[in-house]
Amino acid sequence: MSMELTNLKADLKARLKLEDLIRGAGVDLKPSGKNLEACCPFHAENTPSFKVHADQQYFKCFGCGASGDVFDWLGFQKFKRPKVEGADFVELLREACQLTGIAFPENGAKPTPAAAKQKTVYATREKLDAAAAWQAGEGAGTVAATYAYSHPDSAAVELVVYRIEIPGKGKRFLQARPCEGGFAFGGLERTPIYNRARVAKADHVVIVEGEKCVHALHAIGIVGTTSAGGSNAAEKADWSPLAGKRVTIWRDNDDSGSKYQQAVITALEKLSPRPIVSVVAVEALPLGAKEDCADFIARLPYTDQKREAVDQVLADAVGTGAIADLDADLADAIAGRRIAIPFPWKTLNEASLALLPGSVSVLCGSPGATKSLALIQCLLHWQAAGVPAAALMLEDGVSYHLRRALAQLSNESSLTRDDWCREHPENVATFRAAALDRLNTLQAYLFAPTDTDALTPKALVTWVQARADAGARVICVDPITAMQKGKFGWQDDQQFLMEAKRIVERAKASLLLVSHPRKQAQGRPSSMGLEEIAGGAAYERFAQSILFLRAHRDVGVNVVNSGGEKLQRISNRTLSVLKSRNSYGQSQNVRIAFQFESQSLTLHELGRIVSEAPAQ
């Protein structure tokens, strides 16, 4: 190959965009990490193995092995083979010149530097339209529609988009922009949104995917807009004309539509004043896969029917952001869905409402206060009530806790002693058989780390996310103080808590963390305060409920039980409600008397402590 053609090849390779060439051939590329993927156009497959490294201008199919750069792709398209040489390759260069507007050096003539760097300029819209039709025809397609993005005041055209339809391969789009002397093909770094003149005068605007949908809305008297460049280019658009307006997003019914919707929401959140944004619940509409607003409108025969149906769809759109969260909370409260998952103890439930959706609670207590036994008692209670829960037990394995659960279910603490089990094998078999169904279900609630790497803040957050995704309503970590932390441990505590808190808020689950007092506070548990919880200050600041369980000798107490009766009881455990934001602070510093029964290894609630009483 001559030096002239070698230089031309390098220049063309720098100007051609592999992604656009592949999309132009009707290949439906989807984002895959930093790259793109699709089902291979060179062989039949159902799972995408065709990868495009857009930044490196390189493609490869891991199924059939086809690979190469932009010229290899053109070779596949034109000659049905990737490696093209000789006269055929010169033909590829000539075709690439037509795509980019560079003059091909006929008869060995050298292309001038200016010709190599400048695109062809079309003096009028008529010539631009003709060139677009020629390019569409080269790809065996036709220009189905032309959309002009005009300035709302001057009406000057700022962007032209051609919709090209290729039989059997779908659609692609070609963009052109004004330049000195006329128009040239190519997009803008920052694109305007469509239909800005009408948008400027409207209080409510519907954002759709594609200019066709905007025109379908306009035909029934509704103002719509969209962004140029398809579903992956929303972030390039200038959405500022929508600042302060009421906006409804009506996406296409596919995965790329969901991504487009989220990208638009993110862009609108940055505007000032911020628009009031709602989204159409597309999944509830009678739309097939990939269908859109225009398809919905086209199914109705008369304009009045179309307008009435679209108005109802827009009226049913749901809010986004914090307003949407507020609306969901209010709807759940009205419907009785927003409830605190109950502990096995009624007075504590009323005093804390700790396990409301999205809440974080801390159960703190010194070693030996029977916190883990209390957690097992809670898990059995939730299991019996059909509440999905999960507990990550960081100090002992799952079988250890199942054995304690067996003791609680059997009302026989001796089951935790090896010597007793050895002497009473028939009793062990009887208790195990009676509790086996409960234990089988409970083991699905219990998890234990497989190695120390599972104790890092990142690993714990990943576990919480996995349990939330699996549908757990209550997610527990016992004890959170076993989490591995670096030099600045308080930062690790805050990182874990804030990320886990966001997870349960989104999932409408509850997070229960078992903790310990700081070492210097363990000798004086009666004076326990929020600031003495082990770990960083994040737990005391950001948890909605903080409970402190204290073991002590038998003491007499005067209590009011859950039925309102005043009684005198003997207590060996006290649970203090140190923080109770969910109960509106009304129960803060309430103390509840419990009796820990060594036979059953369970806590029994006695009531709210009114005063101390002489031991009986």
Side-chain angles (χ1 to χ4, degrees):
M1 185 186 300
S2 68
M3 184 59 69
E4 289 83 358
L5 292 182
T6 300
N7 292 337
L8 176 61
K9 175 186 176 183
D11 185 63
L12 288 168
K13 191 172 182 179
R15 298 182 66 82
L16 289 168
K17 190 174 180 182
L18 180 61
E19 177 186 346
D20 290 345
L21 291 174
I22 295 175
R23 289 188 188 278
V27 179
D28 188 17
L29 292 174
K30 302 290 187 183
S32 176
K34 295 182 180 179
N35 303 312
L36 302 165
E37 69 176 12
C39 288
C40 182
F42 307 123
H43 77 284
E45 62 176 5
N46 295 321
T47 302
S49 61
F50 182 77
K51 308 292 181 182
V52 176
H53 305 270
D55 293 341
Q56 302 174 27
Q57 292 279 78
Y58 181 78
F59 71 90
K60 180 172 182 179
C61 176
F62 291 88
C64 67
S67 64
D69 59 12
V70 290
F71 290 104
D72 296 313
W73 172 261
L74 291 174
F76 269 120
Q77 293 294 294
K78 190 172 184 67
F79 299 106
K80 308 304 179 186
R81 62 184 192 274
K83 301 302 178 185
V84 180
E85 298 177 344
D88 286 345
F89 190 78
V90 173
E91 183 63 26
L92 284 186
L93 290 179
R94 182 178 282 106
E95 183 171 313
C97 285
Q98 292 174 347
L99 290 173
T100 58
I102 295 176
F104 183 78
E106 301 291 351
N107 300 321
K110 296 180 181 181
T112 64
K117 293 181 180 179
Q118 294 180 1
K119 289 191 173 184
T120 301
V121 175
Y122 302 92
T124 64
R125 275 288 305 280
E126 290 76 12
K127 292 183 178 181
L128 179 69
D129 293 346
W134 180 84
Q135 288 197 35
E138 283 292 291
T142 58
V143 175
T146 303
Y147 307 109
Y149 285 62
S150 303
H151 192 279
D153 299 324
S154 66
V157 175
E158 296 179 335
L159 182 69
V160 182
V161 176
Y162 296 93
R163 177 190 172 113
I164 298 174
E165 294 186 354
I166 305 171
K169 293 186 177 180
K171 62 187 177 184
R172 72 181 182 92
F173 294 90
L174 181 65
Q175 295 184 11
R177 66 181 188 275
C179 66
E180 185 177 353
F183 296 88
F185 287 110
L188 301 169
E189 290 187 7
R190 185 74 166 165
T191 58
I193 60 172
Y194 193 54
N195 199 28
R196 282 174 294 165
R198 293 189 181 93
V199 166
K201 300 175 182 178
D203 295 323
H204 180 210
V205 179
V206 182
I207 298 175
V208 289
E209 287 188 70
E211 298 86 354
K212 181 183 71 171
C213 292
V214 174
H215 286 271
L217 288 171
H218 176 65
I220 58 174
I222 295 174
V223 177
T225 189
T226 191
S227 56
S231 60
N232 294 322
E235 69 280 356
K236 292 178 58 178
D238 176 11
W239 297 99
S240 61
L242 299 177
K245 294 184 181 292
R246 187 164 61 91
V247 173
T248 302
I249 303 172
W250 190 334
R251 65 173 177 84
D252 289 359
N253 188 28
D254 54 20
D255 290 341
S256 61
S258 296
K259 294 176 182 176
Y260 179 77
Q261 175 177 287
Q262 188 52 55
V264 173
I265 291 173
T266 300
L268 295 179
E269 288 175 345
K270 299 175 183 177
L271 299 182
S272 181
R274 189 167 170 174
I276 300 172
V277 182
S278 59
V279 297
V280 170
V282 173
E283 60 279 358
L285 299 179
L287 290 174
K290 298 184 179 299
E291 289 192 327
D292 55 27
C293 168
D295 295 311
F296 179 87
I297 294 172
R299 288 202 177 96
L300 297 170
Y302 303 112
T303 300
D304 289 349
Q305 288 180 317
K306 296 175 189 286
R307 178 60 190 254
E308 183 178 352
V310 170
D311 282 344
Q312 187 60 55
V313 168
L314 299 179
D316 292 339
V318 296
T320 64
I323 294 296
D325 294 339
L326 171 62
D327 289 344
D329 285 347
L330 292 174
D332 286 348
I334 292 170
R337 293 187 296 265
R338 184 172 168 78
I339 60 172
I341 298 300
F343 290 109
W345 310 294
K346 188 173 181 180
T347 301
L348 176 59
N349 293 329
E350 295 171 348
S352 67
L353 295 176
L355 302 180
L356 277 173
S359 294
V360 176
S361 301
V362 176
L363 173 60
C364 185
S366 300
T370 58
K371 302 181 300 299
S372 293
L373 286 169
L375 179 57
I376 292 297
Q377 188 175 348
C378 288
L379 291 169
L380 288 169
H381 177 74
W382 297 328
Q383 176 210 23
V387 176
L392 183 61
M393 315 302 282
L394 298 182
E395 289 186 332
D396 298 286
V398 171
S399 62
Y400 174 86
H401 296 287
L402 285 176
R403 189 171 182 178
R404 303 173 106 192
L406 174 60
Q408 290 187 354
L409 289 168
S410 306
N411 196 33
E412 181 52 76
S413 61
S414 296
L415 284 164
T416 62
R417 293 170 45 197
D418 292 339
D419 58 343
W420 186 90
C421 292
R422 184 172 60 251
E423 295 169 1
H424 302 84
E426 293 182 357
N427 299 71
V428 174
T430 300
F431 287 136
R432 179 188 178 280
L436 186 58
D437 288 344
R438 293 289 304 275
L439 295 176
N440 274 329
T441 307
L442 181 65
Q443 71 174 337
Y445 283 27
L446 296 172
F447 299 80
T450 55
D451 53 52
T452 55
D453 290 340
L455 301 179
T456 64
K458 182 178 180 180
L460 294 186
V461 167
T462 299
W463 181 84
V464 171
Q465 181 69 70
R467 294 306 97 210
D469 291 343
R473 176 60 179 80
V474 184
I475 302 171
C476 315
V477 179
D478 178 17
I480 191 58
T481 46
M483 181 174 67
Q484 288 184 352
K485 292 182 276 192
K487 182 178 180 181
F488 301 102
W490 62 272
Q491 292 180 339
D492 294 312
D493 286 322
Q494 181 161 319
Q495 175 192 349
F496 164 77
L497 186 60
M498 298 310 293
E499 292 188 27
K501 185 179 177 73
R502 284 192 288 270
I503 291 169
V504 296
E505 285 174 347
R506 289 193 297 267
K508 296 188 177 181
S510 303
L511 183 64
L512 177 60
L513 305 173
V514 178
S515 186
H516 298 94
R518 299 180 189 273
K519 289 184 178 180
Q520 61 269 30
Q522 291 184 16
R524 54 178 194 280
S526 61
S527 61
M528 179 67 185
L530 293 177
E531 69 283 354
E532 292 176 325
I533 297 173
Y539 297 109
E540 64 189 73
R541 290 175 57 193
F542 299 117
Q544 278 86 359
S545 302
I546 297 180
L547 315 173
F548 177 59
L549 182 63
R550 180 167 62 93
H552 50 74
R553 62 179 177 81
D554 286 349
V555 296
V557 288
N558 294 316
V559 300
V560 176
N561 66 15
S562 59
E565 299 177 282
K566 294 182 180 180
L567 304 167
Q568 190 176 92
R569 290 289 184 259
I570 301 298
S571 166
N572 60 13
R573 297 289 188 277
T574 299
L575 191 145
S576 299
V577 181
L578 301 181
K579 185 178 181 181
S580 58
R581 286 181 61 189
N582 291 345
S583 66
Y584 319 108
Q586 297 175 0
S587 300
Q588 195 153 304
N589 297 320
V590 163
R591 293 187 303 145
I592 303 172
F594 283 83
Q595 183 69 27
F596 176 73
E597 296 187 356
S598 58
Q599 179 64 26
S600 63
L601 301 181
T602 55
L603 287 168
H604 293 265
E605 187 180 75
L606 305 177
R608 179 170 56 85
I609 298 174
V610 177
S611 62
E612 306 296 333
Q616 295 180 345

